[in-house]
C-alpha cells in the first residue's frame, strides 16, 4: 500500500448511477491515492465497469461527487475535456482507430489536444511503442495487428497524453489466451513507474502481483476491500468468498 | 479483430437486406450477371446510336448535333446540385445525430418535410417562391431546389454512416480529451466516409436522372433541348429515342466510374 501521506487522486463521495430502474452504482464512496494501484473485481453487472467509466465521465453519475486531481467532474462548470486529458483509458475492445496507422493513432490526440508538433508527437509515440514492444509495427494499420498488439497500441495511445491516472476496463477479456500475457506484462511494467492505476480485470494473478488494494464489488456497492494478501487469504464477507471460490 | 466483429453480429442479429438502388445498377466484379447486363446495355446503346445516325442521318444526326449543349447543362446542374446537397447533407446528418434537441428537431423536420413532397412539386415551389423574393436565374433556382431535396436524402445517408461507426470509437476519442467535434472530424467522419460512398454514388446517378425535371423550369438541359428540337421538327419519336439513349449511356458510364472509384478507396461491399 502506498503511504498515507500521498494526496488523493480520485475521490468518490456517495455516488449513485441509475440505468432506468437498475441501480448500477449504489452509494459508492472511494478514495484512490496518488500512485496507488487499485484492482476492481466482481461478477458481471456488479457495477465495476460503470464505476471506472464514471471517473472520466463516459458515464454521467446521477448523485454524489467525483473529484479527480482536485477537479470536481460532477460540477457542470468543470471542463471535462481538461479532466480527460489527465486520465488515460484502455478498453476491452481496444478501440484503436482503424483508419489511422499505429503511429497516427498515437499521434492524433497529442497533436490536436496537447498541441504538440507532429515531430514532437512522433518522438513520444516511437518511445512508447518501444516500451510496449511493437516499434516494428509503427506504420501498419490496426487490421494487420493481433488483438494483443492492438491493445498495446491503445495503451501507448493513452500514455502519450502523459496522464496522471490510467483506467483499464477489462483490457484482456477480448484477447485470445496466448496474448493476455503480453498485455499484462506491459501493464505490470507500467505499474512499477508510479502512475495511478485503476484496473477492472478477472486476472487474479495480476491483481495479486500488482495491486496495492483489491476491491470486490457486487450489486453496485463495494462489498469488501483490502490488500491482496488479506483479500485472497482471509476474505471476511460471505459474498467475496463465494465469488473467489467460483473463479479461483 | 475477428472477435470483435463476431461480437457486433451478436448484438445485432443478421437480417436479410434488400438493397435495390434507384440508379443504374453499379456493376461489381462479383456480380457477373449484372456486369454482363451493364456491357450489353452500354454496347447496345452505343451501337443503336451509331446505326441510327449512320443509316438515317436525317433526323438522327441532326438530333445528336443539337443535344451536346443540353448535356453540358445537365452535368452542370447535377454536379453543382450534388456538391450543395453533400454540404447540406453533412450538416443535416450531424444535426440528426446531435444530442441538442433543437438542432436535432430542425434537422429531422427538414428531412421529414422534404421526403414527403414530390421532387417535381418542390422544384416548382422553390422556383416560384425564390422568384417572389429575389430574382434568381432559372438555372440557379433549379440547382438550389435539387440540392435542397437531395440534401435531405444525403442527410439520412450521413446519419446512417455516422451511426454505423462503433460507439467505442467516440468513447476512445473523447477519453483522450478530444471535444465531440474534434472526435467527429478526426475519428468518426473519416470512417463513416467509406460506408457512405456507395449510397452517395447511387444518389449521384439518381440526381443526374432527376435533373431532367428541371427542363420544365426554362433550363436548357438535355431533355429540354430534345423537346425544343422535337417541337420544331415534329420528330417526337426519333428525338426522344436519342434523348433516352444518351441518358442511358451517361448513367451507365457514371455508374462504372463510381464503381472504379469505390474500388480505389477500398469500399467493402
Amino acid at each position: 500500500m502506498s503511504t498515507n501521506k500521498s494526496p488523493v487522486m480520485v475521490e468518490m463521495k456517495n455516488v449513485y448511477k441509475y440505468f432506468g430502474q437498475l441501480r448500477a452504482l449504489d452509494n459508492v464512496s472511494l478514495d484512490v491515492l496518488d500512485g496507488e494501484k487499485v484492482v476492481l473485481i466482481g461478477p458481471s453487472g456488479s457495477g465495476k465497469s460503470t464505476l471506472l467509466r464514471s471517473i472520466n465521465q463516459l458515464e454521467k453519475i446521477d448523485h454524489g461527487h467525483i473529484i479527480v486531481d482536485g477537479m470536481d467532474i460532477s460540477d457542470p462548470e468543470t471542463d471535462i475535456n481538461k479532466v480527460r486529458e489527465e486520465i488515460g483509458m484502455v478498453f476491452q475492445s481496444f478501440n484503436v482507430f482503424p483508419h489511422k496507422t499505429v503511429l497516427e493513432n498515437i499521434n492524433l490526440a497529442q497533436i490536436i489536444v496537447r498541441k504538440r508538433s507532429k515531430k514532437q508527437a512522433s518522438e513520444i509515440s516511437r518511445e512508447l511503442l518501444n516500451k510496449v514492444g511493437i516499434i516494428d509495427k509503427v506504420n501498419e494499420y490496426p487490421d494487420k495487428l493481433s488483438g494483443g498488439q492492438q491493445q498495446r497500441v491503445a495503451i501507448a495511445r493513452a500514455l502519450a497524453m502523459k496522464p496522471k491516472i490510467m483506467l483499464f476496463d477489462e483490457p484482456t477479456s477480448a484477447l485470445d489466451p496466448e496474448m493476455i500475457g503480453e498485455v499484462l506484462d506491459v501493464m505490470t511494467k507500467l505499474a512499477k513507474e508510479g502512475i495511478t492505476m485503476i484496473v477492472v480485470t478477472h486476472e487474479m494473478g495480476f491483481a495479486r502481483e500488482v495491486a496495492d488494494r483489491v476491491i470486490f464489488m457486487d450489486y453496485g456497492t463495494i462489498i469488501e476491500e483490502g490488500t491482496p494478501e488479506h483479500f485472497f487469504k482471509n476474505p471476511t464477507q460471505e459474498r467475496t468468498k463465494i465469488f473467489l471460490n467460483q473463479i479461483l | 479483430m475477428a472477435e470483435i466483429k463476431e461480437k457486433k453480429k451478436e448484438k445485432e442479429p443478421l437480417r436479410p437486406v434488400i438493397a435495390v438502388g434507384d440508379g443504374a445498377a453499379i456493376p461489381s466484379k462479383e456480380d457477373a450477371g449484372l456486369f454482363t447486363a451493364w456491357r450489353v446495355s452500354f454496347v447496345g446503346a452505343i451501337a443503336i446510336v451509331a446505326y441510327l445516325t449512320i443509316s438515317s442521318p436525317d433526323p438522327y444526326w441532326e438530333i445528336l448535333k443539337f443535344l451536346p449543349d443540353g448535356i453540358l447543362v445537365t452535368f452542370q446542374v447535377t454536379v453543382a446540385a450534388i456538391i450543395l446537397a453533400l454540404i447540406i447533407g453533412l450538416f443535416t446528418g450531424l444535426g440528426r445525430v446531435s444530442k441538442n434537441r433543437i438542432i436535432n428537431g430542425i434537422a429531422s423536420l427538414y428531412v421529414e418535410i422534404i421526403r414527403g413532397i414530390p421532387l417535381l412539386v418542390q422544384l416548382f415551389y422553390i422556383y416560384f417562391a425564390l422568384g417572389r423574393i429575389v430574382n434568381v436565374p432559372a438555372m440557379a433556382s433549379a440547382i438550389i431546389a435539387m440540392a435542397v431535396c437531395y440534401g435531405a436524402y444525403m442527410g439520412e445517408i450521413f446519419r446512417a454512416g455516422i451511426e454505423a461507426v462503433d460507439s467505442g470509437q467516440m468513447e476512445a476519442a473523447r477519453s483522450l480529451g478530444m471535444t465531440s467535434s474534434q472526435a467527429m472530424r478526426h475519428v468518426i467522419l473519416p470512417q463513416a466516409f467509406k460506408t457512405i460512398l456507395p449510397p452517395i454514388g447511387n444518389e449521384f446517378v439518381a440526381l443526374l436522372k432527376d435533373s431532367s425535371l428541371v427542363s420544365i423550369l426554362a433550363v436548357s438541359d438535355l431533355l429540354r433541348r430534345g423537346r425544343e428540337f422535337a417541337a420544331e421538327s415534329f420528330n417526337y419519336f426519333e428525338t426522344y429515342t436519342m434523348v433516352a439513349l444518351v441518358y442511358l449511356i451517361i448513367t451507365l458510364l457514371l455508374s462504372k466510374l463510381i464503381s472504379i472509384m469505390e474500388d480505389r478507396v477500398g469500399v467493402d461491399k
Side-chain angles (χ1 to χ4, degrees):
Chain A
M1 188 123 177
S2 299
T3 62
N4 287 331
K5 273 176 248 160
S6 299
V8 176
M9 185 57 90
V10 179
E11 185 181 1
M12 304 181 91
K13 281 191 288 195
N14 308 105
V15 170
Y16 289 86
K17 167 75 189 175
Y18 299 88
F19 293 118
Q21 291 293 309
L22 180 81
R23 209 180 274 181
L25 293 179
D26 187 0
N27 196 14
V28 173
S29 294
L30 169 70
D31 285 351
V32 178
L33 303 178
D34 189 6
E36 195 180 8
K37 325 289 172 231
V38 174
V39 169
L40 289 172
I41 63 172
S44 59
S46 60
K48 54 196 194 307
S49 279
T50 309
L51 186 149
L52 196 75
R53 290 162 58 86
S54 67
I55 295 172
N56 67 352
Q57 215 180 76
L58 287 181
E59 303 292 353
K60 244 185 165 146
I61 59 169
D62 294 305
H63 290 291
H65 288 276
I66 299 180
I67 295 149
V68 180
D69 194 25
M71 296 175 276
D72 186 350
I73 64 164
S74 30
D75 179 356
E77 299 285 303
T78 307
D79 180 2
I80 188 63
N81 296 319
K82 280 272 162 278
V83 185
R84 283 176 177 157
E85 286 178 29
E86 308 302 332
I87 308 174
M89 180 140 188
V90 176
F91 299 86
Q92 180 179 355
S93 52
F94 329 138
N95 297 341
V96 288
F97 304 137
H99 61 300
K100 303 240 175 234
T101 64
V102 167
L103 185 70
E104 289 165 346
N105 258 279
I106 308 174
N107 277 358
L108 184 66
Q110 295 189 65
I111 293 168
I112 63 177
V113 178
R114 285 280 195 228
K115 311 285 179 208
R116 290 178 192 145
S117 71
K118 195 177 167 197
K119 189 165 165 277
Q120 250 181 318
S122 300
E123 266 170 35
I124 293 170
S125 301
R126 283 172 187 281
E127 200 180 295
L128 287 166
L129 281 171
N130 254 323
K131 190 167 155 184
V132 299
I134 38 172
I135 188 69
D136 52 318
K137 305 287 181 195
V138 62
N139 290 318
E140 296 281 6
Y141 281 90
D143 60 356
K144 296 275 183 294
L145 269 56
S146 72
Q149 290 167 335
Q150 289 190 45
Q151 192 61 298
R152 285 186 281 160
V153 171
I155 294 173
R157 180 178 67 179
L159 288 175
M161 303 299 285
K162 306 274 183 228
K164 293 180 177 154
I165 309 162
M166 282 290 283
L167 308 177
F168 292 86
D169 190 2
E170 302 201 26
T172 56
S173 298
L175 292 174
D176 292 337
E178 72 269 23
M179 291 169 190
I180 292 175
E182 64 189 50
V183 171
L184 291 180
D185 284 348
V186 168
M187 290 169 63
T188 308
K189 214 159 84 182
L190 186 64
K192 290 184 181 130
E193 292 173 13
I195 192 170
T196 310
M197 281 169 75
I198 307 176
V199 184
V200 172
T201 187
H202 297 296
E203 297 295 327
M204 295 304 140
F206 175 81
R208 260 195 205 119
E209 186 184 348
V210 173
D212 295 316
R213 182 158 44 132
V214 179
I215 294 177
F216 173 66
M217 283 187 76
D218 204 359
Y219 303 109
T221 59
I222 294 174
I223 304 286
E224 185 165 4
E225 55 182 302
T227 60
E229 299 92 84
H230 157 82
F231 197 88
F232 290 109
K233 291 205 182 109
N234 319 299
T236 52
Q237 298 294 318
E238 202 49 43
R239 258 191 280 179
T240 318
K241 286 179 196 161
I242 295 168
F243 178 75
L244 288 175
N245 269 333
Q246 280 167 347
I247 59 161
L248 290 179
Chain B
M1 207 60 199
E3 266 191 67
I4 291 181
K5 274 185 188 152
E6 269 172 32
K7 270 188 190 148
K8 259 192 222 160
K9 270 184 210 159
E10 273 169 31
K11 241 190 281 172
E12 218 174 298
L14 222 53
R15 267 170 298 161
V17 177
I18 302 173
V20 181
D22 54 359
I26 292 183
S28 82
K29 275 168 201 131
E30 295 92 77
D31 200 341
L34 207 59
F35 190 55
T36 320
W38 183 89
R39 273 192 197 161
V40 169
S41 38
F42 185 69
V43 174
I46 300 241
I48 294 169
V49 170
Y51 171 75
L52 290 176
T53 46
I54 291 164
S55 66
S56 34
D58 183 28
Y60 288 110
W61 178 238
E62 296 305 316
I63 299 167
L64 202 60
K65 276 196 299 189
F66 197 73
L67 293 180
D69 288 357
I71 297 176
L72 192 68
V73 172
T74 290
F75 270 118
Q76 282 168 346
V77 171
T78 306
V79 171
I82 200 92
I83 290 170
L84 257 182
L86 279 171
I87 296 167
I88 297 173
L90 172 61
F91 285 104
T92 308
L94 288 173
R96 292 270 287 151
V97 297
S98 167
K99 286 193 185 96
N100 182 317
R101 278 200 189 167
I102 297 167
I103 294 174
N104 195 314
I106 292 171
S108 305
L109 201 65
Y110 162 65
V111 171
E112 283 309 309
I113 290 172
I114 293 297
R115 290 205 302 185
I117 301 172
L119 176 56
L120 187 56
V121 177
Q122 285 180 49
L123 274 176
F124 274 126
Y125 187 81
I126 292 175
Y127 183 71
F128 290 110
L130 274 177
R132 280 210 161 185
I133 313 160
V134 277
N135 198 3
V136 233
M139 175 101 158
S141 52
I143 289 168
I144 292 170
M146 299 286 297
V148 167
C149 172
Y150 271 80
Y153 294 91
M154 289 289 187
E156 285 303 273
I157 293 173
F158 272 99
R159 179 191 57 76
I162 291 166
E163 283 176 350
V165 177
D166 189 275
S167 62
Q169 293 288 312
M170 182 54 110
E171 288 188 346
R174 294 305 305 273
S175 73
L176 287 163
M178 290 185 214
T179 63
S180 57
S181 50
Q182 284 171 334
M184 197 45 96
R185 199 175 126 212
H186 296 282
V187 177
I188 306 298
L189 284 178
Q191 294 183 58
F193 179 70
K194 271 195 179 183
T195 351
I196 65 180
L197 206 61
I200 283 181
N202 276 325
E203 290 297 295
F204 190 75
V205 177
L207 199 151
L208 185 126
K209 290 186 301 168
D210 279 350
S211 76
S212 62
L213 291 171
V214 305
S215 61
I216 53 154
L217 299 181
V219 176
S220 293
D221 76 326
L222 175 52
L223 177 58
R224 183 157 182 119
R225 291 289 283 177
R227 269 169 63 195
E228 284 165 9
F229 188 91
E232 265 179 44
S233 64
F234 298 104
N235 288 322
Y236 287 100
F237 170 74
E238 294 82 350
T239 312
Y240 288 125
T241 303
M242 286 307 264
V243 168
L245 285 168
V246 170
Y247 268 118
L248 182 60
I249 292 168
I250 293 173
T251 51
L252 286 171
L253 271 178
L254 209 65
S255 4
K256 185 75 182 169
L257 211 72
I258 289 164
S259 89
I260 291 170
M261 203 171 72
E262 281 170 5
D263 278 349
R264 283 260 173 90
V265 198
V267 173
D268 1 274
K269 286 183 197 168

